[in-house]
PDB file of all heavy atoms in Angstrom:
ATOM      1  N   ALA H  20      -4.667  12.911  -3.479  1.00  0.00           N
ATOM      2  CA  ALA H  20      -4.204  11.542  -3.263  1.00  0.00           C
ATOM      3  C   ALA H  20      -3.142  11.159  -4.296  1.00  0.00           C
ATOM      4  O   ALA H  20      -2.115  10.551  -3.939  1.00  0.00           O
ATOM      5  CB  ALA H  20      -5.379  10.568  -3.328  1.00  0.00           C
ATOM      6  N   ALA H  21      -3.361  11.500  -5.547  1.00  0.00           N
ATOM      7  CA  ALA H  21      -2.383  11.183  -6.589  1.00  0.00           C
ATOM      8  C   ALA H  21      -1.041  11.826  -6.255  1.00  0.00           C
ATOM      9  O   ALA H  21       0.016  11.176  -6.358  1.00  0.00           O
ATOM     10  CB  ALA H  21      -2.891  11.652  -7.950  1.00  0.00           C
ATOM     11  N   ARG H  22      -1.058  13.074  -5.849  1.00  0.00           N
ATOM     12  CA  ARG H  22       0.190  13.770  -5.490  1.00  0.00           C
ATOM     13  C   ARG H  22       0.844  13.115  -4.265  1.00  0.00           C
ATOM     14  O   ARG H  22       2.070  12.999  -4.190  1.00  0.00           O
ATOM     15  CB  ARG H  22      -0.074  15.245  -5.243  1.00  0.00           C
ATOM     16  CG  ARG H  22      -0.407  16.007  -6.509  1.00  0.00           C
ATOM     17  CD  ARG H  22      -0.572  17.514  -6.277  1.00  0.00           C
ATOM     18  NE  ARG H  22      -1.008  18.180  -7.477  1.00  0.00           N
ATOM     19  CZ  ARG H  22      -0.217  18.504  -8.506  1.00  0.00           C
ATOM     20  NH1 ARG H  22       1.060  18.199  -8.463  1.00  0.00           N
ATOM     21  NH2 ARG H  22      -0.715  19.123  -9.561  1.00  0.00           N
ATOM     22  N   PHE H  23       0.046  12.672  -3.305  1.00  0.00           N
ATOM     23  CA  PHE H  23       0.583  11.994  -2.127  1.00  0.00           C
ATOM     24  C   PHE H  23       1.294  10.704  -2.527  1.00  0.00           C
ATOM     25  O   PHE H  23       2.445  10.484  -2.142  1.00  0.00           O
ATOM     26  CB  PHE H  23      -0.538  11.704  -1.118  1.00  0.00           C
ATOM     27  CG  PHE H  23      -0.101  10.845   0.042  1.00  0.00           C
ATOM     28  CD1 PHE H  23       0.758  11.338   1.013  1.00  0.00           C
ATOM     29  CD2 PHE H  23      -0.547   9.537   0.162  1.00  0.00           C
ATOM     30  CE1 PHE H  23       1.168  10.550   2.080  1.00  0.00           C
ATOM     31  CE2 PHE H  23      -0.155   8.738   1.225  1.00  0.00           C
ATOM     32  CZ  PHE H  23       0.713   9.249   2.187  1.00  0.00           C
ATOM     33  N   TYR H  24       0.643   9.849  -3.306  1.00  0.00           N
ATOM     34  CA  TYR H  24       1.242   8.573  -3.684  1.00  0.00           C
ATOM     35  C   TYR H  24       2.508   8.773  -4.511  1.00  0.00           C
ATOM     36  O   TYR H  24       3.497   8.056  -4.334  1.00  0.00           O
ATOM     37  CB  TYR H  24       0.236   7.692  -4.419  1.00  0.00           C
ATOM     38  CG  TYR H  24      -0.941   7.296  -3.555  1.00  0.00           C
ATOM     39  CD1 TYR H  24      -2.242   7.479  -3.995  1.00  0.00           C
ATOM     40  CD2 TYR H  24      -0.756   6.761  -2.281  1.00  0.00           C
ATOM     41  CE1 TYR H  24      -3.326   7.138  -3.200  1.00  0.00           C
ATOM     42  CE2 TYR H  24      -1.834   6.417  -1.478  1.00  0.00           C
ATOM     43  CZ  TYR H  24      -3.112   6.609  -1.940  1.00  0.00           C
ATOM     44  OH  TYR H  24      -4.175   6.272  -1.146  1.00  0.00           O
ATOM     45  N   VAL H  25       2.499   9.781  -5.383  1.00  0.00           N
ATOM     46  CA  VAL H  25       3.700  10.075  -6.179  1.00  0.00           C
ATOM     47  C   VAL H  25       4.851  10.497  -5.258  1.00  0.00           C
ATOM     48  O   VAL H  25       6.012  10.174  -5.511  1.00  0.00           O
ATOM     49  CB  VAL H  25       3.381  11.155  -7.240  1.00  0.00           C
ATOM     50  CG1 VAL H  25       4.635  11.737  -7.862  1.00  0.00           C
ATOM     51  CG2 VAL H  25       2.480  10.567  -8.328  1.00  0.00           C
ATOM     52  N   SER H  26       4.542  11.177  -4.160  1.00  0.00           N
ATOM     53  CA  SER H  26       5.585  11.616  -3.231  1.00  0.00           C
ATOM     54  C   SER H  26       6.146  10.474  -2.387  1.00  0.00           C
ATOM     55  O   SER H  26       7.268  10.559  -1.905  1.00  0.00           O
ATOM     56  CB  SER H  26       5.049  12.721  -2.313  1.00  0.00           C
ATOM     57  OG  SER H  26       4.245  12.196  -1.276  1.00  0.00           O
ATOM     58  N   VAL H  27       5.381   9.412  -2.205  1.00  0.00           N
ATOM     59  CA  VAL H  27       5.795   8.308  -1.335  1.00  0.00           C
ATOM     60  C   VAL H  27       6.736   7.337  -2.051  1.00  0.00           C
ATOM     61  O   VAL H  27       7.689   6.838  -1.457  1.00  0.00           O
ATOM     62  CB  VAL H  27       4.557   7.542  -0.802  1.00  0.00           C
ATOM     63  CG1 VAL H  27       4.949   6.249  -0.093  1.00  0.00           C
ATOM     64  CG2 VAL H  27       3.731   8.426   0.116  1.00  0.00           C
ATOM     65  N   PHE H  28       6.480   7.087  -3.324  1.00  0.00           N
ATOM     66  CA  PHE H  28       7.192   6.030  -4.046  1.00  0.00           C
ATOM     67  C   PHE H  28       8.116   6.589  -5.118  1.00  0.00           C
ATOM     68  O   PHE H  28       7.788   7.572  -5.781  1.00  0.00           O
ATOM     69  CB  PHE H  28       6.176   5.090  -4.720  1.00  0.00           C
ATOM     70  CG  PHE H  28       5.278   4.395  -3.753  1.00  0.00           C
ATOM     71  CD1 PHE H  28       3.992   4.854  -3.543  1.00  0.00           C
ATOM     72  CD2 PHE H  28       5.711   3.291  -3.045  1.00  0.00           C
ATOM     73  CE1 PHE H  28       3.151   4.228  -2.640  1.00  0.00           C
ATOM     74  CE2 PHE H  28       4.883   2.663  -2.144  1.00  0.00           C
ATOM     75  CZ  PHE H  28       3.595   3.134  -1.932  1.00  0.00           C
ATOM     76  N   GLY H  29       9.236   5.901  -5.303  1.00  0.00           N
ATOM     77  CA  GLY H  29      10.105   6.199  -6.432  1.00  0.00           C
ATOM     78  C   GLY H  29       9.453   5.690  -7.707  1.00  0.00           C
ATOM     79  O   GLY H  29       8.421   5.025  -7.672  1.00  0.00           O
ATOM     80  N   SER H  31       7.765   7.246  -9.918  1.00  0.00           N
ATOM     81  CA  SER H  31       6.390   7.745  -9.870  1.00  0.00           C
ATOM     82  C   SER H  31       6.296   9.103 -10.553  1.00  0.00           C
ATOM     83  O   SER H  31       7.255   9.871 -10.558  1.00  0.00           O
ATOM     84  CB  SER H  31       5.940   7.898  -8.411  1.00  0.00           C
ATOM     85  OG  SER H  31       6.006   6.670  -7.735  1.00  0.00           O
ATOM     86  N   ALA H  57       2.712   5.110  -9.703  1.00  0.00           N
ATOM     87  CA  ALA H  57       3.364   4.964  -8.403  1.00  0.00           C
ATOM     88  C   ALA H  57       4.148   3.663  -8.417  1.00  0.00           C
ATOM     89  O   ALA H  57       3.569   2.595  -8.650  1.00  0.00           O
ATOM     90  CB  ALA H  57       2.344   4.963  -7.273  1.00  0.00           C
ATOM     91  N   ASN H  58       5.455   3.774  -8.243  1.00  0.00           N
ATOM     92  CA  ASN H  58       6.340   2.615  -8.272  1.00  0.00           C
ATOM     93  C   ASN H  58       6.154   1.810  -9.565  1.00  0.00           C
ATOM     94  O   ASN H  58       6.166   0.588  -9.558  1.00  0.00           O
ATOM     95  CB  ASN H  58       6.121   1.737  -7.037  1.00  0.00           C
ATOM     96  CG  ASN H  58       7.260   0.765  -6.826  1.00  0.00           C
ATOM     97  OD1 ASN H  58       8.404   1.061  -7.157  1.00  0.00           O
ATOM     98  ND2 ASN H  58       6.958  -0.408  -6.289  1.00  0.00           N
ATOM     99  N   LEU H  81       3.425  -4.293  -0.337  1.00  0.00           N
ATOM    100  CA  LEU H  81       4.776  -3.807  -0.580  1.00  0.00           C
ATOM    101  C   LEU H  81       5.737  -4.864  -0.068  1.00  0.00           C
ATOM    102  O   LEU H  81       5.701  -5.210   1.109  1.00  0.00           O
ATOM    103  CB  LEU H  81       5.020  -2.496   0.164  1.00  0.00           C
ATOM    104  CG  LEU H  81       4.068  -1.348  -0.131  1.00  0.00           C
ATOM    105  CD1 LEU H  81       4.412  -0.141   0.738  1.00  0.00           C
ATOM    106  CD2 LEU H  81       4.104  -0.985  -1.595  1.00  0.00           C
ATOM    107  N   HIS H  91      10.335   3.106   6.526  1.00  0.00           N
ATOM    108  CA  HIS H  91       9.975   4.250   5.677  1.00  0.00           C
ATOM    109  C   HIS H  91       8.495   4.204   5.280  1.00  0.00           C
ATOM    110  O   HIS H  91       7.756   5.166   5.514  1.00  0.00           O
ATOM    111  CB  HIS H  91      10.854   4.273   4.429  1.00  0.00           C
ATOM    112  CG  HIS H  91      10.384   5.238   3.386  1.00  0.00           C
ATOM    113  ND1 HIS H  91      10.593   6.600   3.476  1.00  0.00           N
ATOM    114  CD2 HIS H  91       9.693   5.046   2.242  1.00  0.00           C
ATOM    115  CE1 HIS H  91      10.052   7.198   2.433  1.00  0.00           C
ATOM    116  NE2 HIS H  91       9.496   6.280   1.665  1.00  0.00           N
ATOM    117  N   TYR H  92       8.074   3.098   4.687  1.00  0.00           N
ATOM    118  CA  TYR H  92       6.694   3.011   4.209  1.00  0.00           C
ATOM    119  C   TYR H  92       5.696   2.940   5.350  1.00  0.00           C
ATOM    120  O   TYR H  92       4.580   3.467   5.247  1.00  0.00           O
ATOM    121  CB  TYR H  92       6.518   1.834   3.240  1.00  0.00           C
ATOM    122  CG  TYR H  92       7.252   2.062   1.949  1.00  0.00           C
ATOM    123  CD1 TYR H  92       8.283   1.231   1.561  1.00  0.00           C
ATOM    124  CD2 TYR H  92       6.929   3.135   1.126  1.00  0.00           C
ATOM    125  CE1 TYR H  92       8.976   1.455   0.371  1.00  0.00           C
ATOM    126  CE2 TYR H  92       7.611   3.370  -0.053  1.00  0.00           C
ATOM    127  CZ  TYR H  92       8.632   2.525  -0.422  1.00  0.00           C
ATOM    128  OH  TYR H  92       9.315   2.764  -1.580  1.00  0.00           O
ATOM    129  N   LYS H  95       5.506   6.698   6.378  1.00  0.00           N
ATOM    130  CA  LYS H  95       5.119   7.616   5.298  1.00  0.00           C
ATOM    131  C   LYS H  95       3.657   7.424   4.892  1.00  0.00           C
ATOM    132  O   LYS H  95       2.947   8.399   4.653  1.00  0.00           O
ATOM    133  CB  LYS H  95       6.042   7.398   4.099  1.00  0.00           C
ATOM    134  CG  LYS H  95       5.944   8.450   3.049  1.00  0.00           C
ATOM    135  CD  LYS H  95       6.563   9.743   3.513  1.00  0.00           C
ATOM    136  CE  LYS H  95       6.538  10.772   2.407  1.00  0.00           C
ATOM    137  NZ  LYS H  95       6.838  12.099   2.881  1.00  0.00           N
ATOM    138  N   LEU H  96       3.213   6.183   4.815  1.00  0.00           N
ATOM    139  CA  LEU H  96       1.853   5.931   4.337  1.00  0.00           C
ATOM    140  C   LEU H  96       0.768   6.333   5.330  1.00  0.00           C
ATOM    141  O   LEU H  96      -0.370   6.554   4.936  1.00  0.00           O
ATOM    142  CB  LEU H  96       1.684   4.465   3.919  1.00  0.00           C
ATOM    143  CG  LEU H  96       2.332   4.128   2.582  1.00  0.00           C
ATOM    144  CD1 LEU H  96       2.442   2.622   2.388  1.00  0.00           C
ATOM    145  CD2 LEU H  96       1.561   4.770   1.433  1.00  0.00           C
ATOM    146  N   VAL H  97       1.090   6.448   6.611  1.00  0.00           N
ATOM    147  CA  VAL H  97       0.072   6.868   7.582  1.00  0.00           C
ATOM    148  C   VAL H  97       0.128   8.367   7.863  1.00  0.00           C
ATOM    149  O   VAL H  97      -0.723   8.876   8.603  1.00  0.00           O
ATOM    150  CB  VAL H  97       0.134   6.084   8.913  1.00  0.00           C
ATOM    151  CG1 VAL H  97      -0.122   4.610   8.684  1.00  0.00           C
ATOM    152  CG2 VAL H  97       1.423   6.312   9.641  1.00  0.00           C
ATOM    153  N   GLU H  98       1.088   9.068   7.274  1.00  0.00           N
ATOM    154  CA  GLU H  98       1.185  10.517   7.478  1.00  0.00           C
ATOM    155  C   GLU H  98      -0.150  11.204   7.193  1.00  0.00           C
ATOM    156  O   GLU H  98      -0.824  10.864   6.229  1.00  0.00           O
ATOM    157  CB  GLU H  98       2.225  11.121   6.527  1.00  0.00           C
ATOM    158  CG  GLU H  98       3.597  11.206   7.076  1.00  0.00           C
ATOM    159  CD  GLU H  98       4.574  11.849   6.094  1.00  0.00           C
ATOM    160  OE1 GLU H  98       4.163  12.446   5.079  1.00  0.00           O
ATOM    161  OE2 GLU H  98       5.772  11.718   6.359  1.00  0.00           O
ATOM    162  N   ARG H 112      -4.282   7.833   4.855  1.00  0.00           N
ATOM    163  CA  ARG H 112      -5.260   8.879   5.209  1.00  0.00           C
ATOM    164  C   ARG H 112      -6.522   8.833   4.363  1.00  0.00           C
ATOM    165  O   ARG H 112      -7.534   9.423   4.735  1.00  0.00           O
ATOM    166  CB  ARG H 112      -4.623  10.254   5.118  1.00  0.00           C
ATOM    167  CG  ARG H 112      -4.260  10.651   3.701  1.00  0.00           C
ATOM    168  CD  ARG H 112      -3.655  12.032   3.607  1.00  0.00           C
ATOM    169  NE  ARG H 112      -2.209  11.937   3.631  1.00  0.00           N
ATOM    170  CZ  ARG H 112      -1.415  12.943   3.338  1.00  0.00           C
ATOM    171  NH1 ARG H 112      -1.903  14.120   3.034  1.00  0.00           N
ATOM    172  NH2 ARG H 112      -0.121  12.775   3.376  1.00  0.00           N
ATOM    173  N   TRP H 117      -2.819  -1.118   3.003  1.00  0.00           N
ATOM    174  CA  TRP H 117      -1.495  -1.508   2.525  1.00  0.00           C
ATOM    175  C   TRP H 117      -0.948  -2.606   3.429  1.00  0.00           C
ATOM    176  O   TRP H 117      -1.182  -2.595   4.631  1.00  0.00           O
ATOM    177  CB  TRP H 117      -0.530  -0.319   2.587  1.00  0.00           C
ATOM    178  CG  TRP H 117      -0.929   0.818   1.715  1.00  0.00           C
ATOM    179  CD1 TRP H 117      -1.829   1.818   2.013  1.00  0.00           C
ATOM    180  CD2 TRP H 117      -0.463   1.082   0.395  1.00  0.00           C
ATOM    181  NE1 TRP H 117      -1.934   2.682   0.958  1.00  0.00           N
ATOM    182  CE2 TRP H 117      -1.100   2.254  -0.048  1.00  0.00           C
ATOM    183  CE3 TRP H 117       0.441   0.445  -0.451  1.00  0.00           C
ATOM    184  CZ2 TRP H 117      -0.869   2.807  -1.303  1.00  0.00           C
ATOM    185  CZ3 TRP H 117       0.678   0.990  -1.699  1.00  0.00           C
ATOM    186  CH2 TRP H 117       0.026   2.152  -2.117  1.00  0.00           C
TER     187      TRP H 117
END
Side-chain angles (χ1 to χ4, degrees):
R22 290 184 185 281
F23 172 70
Y24 296 129
V25 166
S26 78
V27 170
F28 298 100
S31 301
N58 196 32
L81 303 177
H91 169 77
Y92 292 117
K95 192 72 176 167
L96 284 166
V97 298
E98 268 182 13
R112 67 179 95 168
W117 298 84

